[in-house]
Amino acid sequence: MTKYKILEILRNNDENFISGELLSSRLGVSRTAIWKGINSLKEKGYKIEGIRNKGYRLTYDKEDIISEYEIKNIFSCKELGRKIYCFEKINSTNTYVKENNNFLKHGDVIIADEQTRGRGRNEKIFYSPKESGVYMSIFLKKNIFYDSLKLLSIASFLSVCKAIEKCTGFSPNLNWNDIGINEKKICGILTEGSFEGETGRIEYIVIGIGINVNNLDFPKNLKDKNTSLRLELNKEINRTKLISQILDEMENMICNKKYISNRKKILKEYIERTKIIGKNIEIKVMNKKIIGKVIGINELGGLIISKSNKKLEVIYNGELKICEE
Ligand code: BTN
């Protein structure tokens, strides 16, 4: 696309001016095409100065503009993100996938700068303000099995943790169903699947990842339980780098033939990170409350709970609270 070719030339020209004429002859397009390209870059948030008889220059290279171009510039995936659809505003990236699954291809990624109806687990809303977080859905059609749904969430949680570590040098806490810092949540994942009615075959899976990255504030009702990387680490985090690192980590973990046979390795890493085994917990599943001690995680990623009546119960989803010793 012309606009990104223009951007590349402006970037390589440091902060010097380059004339519209030179741009058009270097790219072999009309002056009008250059003018349109410049305007469209400005609309996307790039700060470009244009002076008559001098030309154009990039005054401030705002790094955190989420676009397919910027992400592909730095990531090295082969299977995930062959196509990345970026939206400035959308209701929910997971909902978009569900509504457009017929034309999406395996590995496609949908990212939004803002969600107006971000969805969380158990019908909750995932707060998704503009220019603050990572709201991303990954569409998978290959190598998926009914019993790998939970495993995919686990692999995604591990990928997000590793990506945060690589991008910030900080290790967040991996809890059972979210990632947190200092007892507050920074990331949640909503994995959904569509099943063929008759056969139960999985048609596709969508992994929806939501991370509070650069939020400076939260609404009153969320303040106590949520925080962002920026609030905790006291610095702005580049979302483009974080997204591309997550995709790299995910691809390493789930896009290879060994993925299913690596299940034990993935679970082992998860168990080590969650430090949940041996903890007394309370889990709310729908209207039921289960109290007990975690004694293990099964092959599918379910928590094995030993209840006070000594009976065992395996739980795959629910709101978990670790009880004080
Ligand atoms: C949770 O912790 O409850 C899960 C939150 C998942 C939020 C992400 S943001 C991207 C994707 N689109 C959605 O509507 N939800 C997921």
Side-chain angles (χ1 to χ4, degrees):
M1 258 194 289
T2 309
K3 65 170 178 280
Y4 289 120
K5 290 188 180 146
I6 299 175
L7 181 64
E8 223 168 279
I9 297 180
L10 294 180
R11 274 190 174 150
N12 291 333
N13 210 35
D14 294 325
E15 289 192 3
N16 300 319
F17 282 95
I18 179 162
S19 71
E21 198 180 339
L22 198 54
L23 280 171
S24 87
S25 78
R26 276 179 61 183
L27 294 176
V29 297
S30 67
R31 293 284 296 275
T32 318
I34 297 294
W35 181 79
K36 281 190 182 154
I38 294 276
N39 280 343
S40 136
L41 285 170
K42 281 183 180 168
E43 272 166 26
K44 287 207 167 291
Y46 293 96
K47 303 274 180 289
I48 297 171
E49 186 182 11
I51 293 188
R52 194 184 273 263
N53 297 330
K54 269 182 140 179
Y56 304 100
R57 68 172 184 159
L58 208 53
T59 49
Y60 167 62
D61 199 355
K62 190 177 172 213
E63 284 181 322
D64 206 21
I65 294 169
I66 291 184
S67 73
E68 182 178 28
Y69 169 81
E70 298 288 0
I71 296 165
K72 284 200 166 170
N73 234 353
I74 48 175
F75 88 159
S76 56
C77 291
K78 294 200 171 65
E79 194 169 324
L80 299 185
R82 265 190 282 221
K83 182 82 198 121
I84 301 177
Y85 297 88
C86 293
F87 294 91
E88 273 174 32
K89 195 187 212 177
I90 201 171
N91 55 1
S92 142
T93 53
N94 268 32
T95 306
Y96 178 88
V97 169
K98 287 167 132 189
E99 287 171 357
N100 296 284
N101 73 82
N102 51 339
F103 83 78
L104 291 172
K105 300 216 166 46
H106 170 74
D108 283 354
V109 174
I110 322 299
I111 303 175
D113 201 30
E114 177 182 5
Q115 292 187 121
T116 51
R117 247 200 112 63
R119 294 191 296 114
R121 290 177 306 110
N122 306 322
E123 312 290 315
K124 288 198 177 141
I125 296 281
F126 186 80
Y127 178 61
S128 319
K130 192 174 156 60
E131 290 177 356
S132 304
V134 164
Y135 319 118
M136 156 163 97
S137 296
I138 302 166
F139 180 71
L140 299 176
K141 280 197 100 156
K142 287 188 200 157
N143 220 356
I144 47 177
F145 312 96
Y146 181 74
D147 68 358
S148 63
L149 262 177
K150 186 74 191 168
L151 193 66
L152 275 174
S153 294
I154 288 177
S156 312
F157 273 124
L158 285 173
S159 302
V160 173
C161 280
K162 290 181 180 185
I164 291 177
E165 276 165 14
K166 288 199 178 143
C167 292
T168 68
F170 178 83
S171 273
N173 300 329
L174 175 56
N175 306 319
W176 184 46
N177 270 332
D178 61 46
I179 297 175
I181 303 181
N182 295 331
E183 316 280 303
K184 289 184 173 181
K185 172 170 171 168
I186 52 159
C187 167
I189 293 181
L190 178 65
T191 306
E192 302 181 278
S194 164
F195 304 87
E196 209 175 65
E198 301 260 306
T199 59
R201 186 184 72 87
I202 297 194
E203 290 172 314
Y204 66 84
I205 284 178
V206 46
I207 304 174
I209 302 175
I211 313 175
N212 303 328
V213 183
N214 287 323
N215 312 55
L216 287 171
D217 206 5
F218 288 89
K220 246 192 196 153
N221 59 330
L222 299 177
K223 256 192 178 128
D224 290 350
K225 292 197 172 147
N226 289 270
T227 187
S228 72
L229 286 170
R230 182 167 181 180
L231 284 173
E232 296 302 317
L233 307 181
N234 230 340
K235 62 175 181 198
E236 198 169 338
I237 311 294
N238 183 295
R239 290 177 300 162
T240 302
K241 285 190 188 143
L242 184 58
I243 290 168
S244 71
Q245 192 63 48
I246 293 171
L247 292 174
D248 276 345
E249 301 289 340
M250 290 275 288
E251 180 153 308
N252 278 341
M253 217 176 292
I254 67 168
C255 299
N256 59 56
K257 292 207 175 73
K258 288 202 199 122
Y259 156 57
I260 287 295
S261 55
N262 269 350
R263 166 189 299 239
K264 281 213 167 79
K265 212 175 122 206
I266 295 175
L267 284 173
K268 188 167 169 266
E269 206 176 332
Y270 177 71
I271 290 169
E272 279 165 10
R273 279 194 185 246
T274 54
K275 301 186 187 91
I276 201 170
I277 310 244
K279 293 263 163 66
N280 290 317
I281 49 113
E282 201 182 286
I283 300 190
K284 238 168 84 188
V285 188
M286 312 278 231
N287 293 327
K288 203 170 123 189
K289 201 187 257 177
I290 298 161
I291 298 173
K293 186 183 229 160
V294 183
I295 58 160
I297 289 183
N298 75 5
E299 287 259 296
L300 309 179
L303 284 190
I304 310 170
I305 320 276
S306 165
K307 298 191 291 189
S308 49
N309 59 10
K310 299 282 172 251
K311 283 198 175 142
L312 297 185
E313 185 153 350
V314 180
I315 307 287
Y316 292 91
N317 192 12
E319 292 304 314
L320 177 128
K321 204 172 107 197
I322 302 206
C323 307
E324 301 292 328
E325 298 294 306

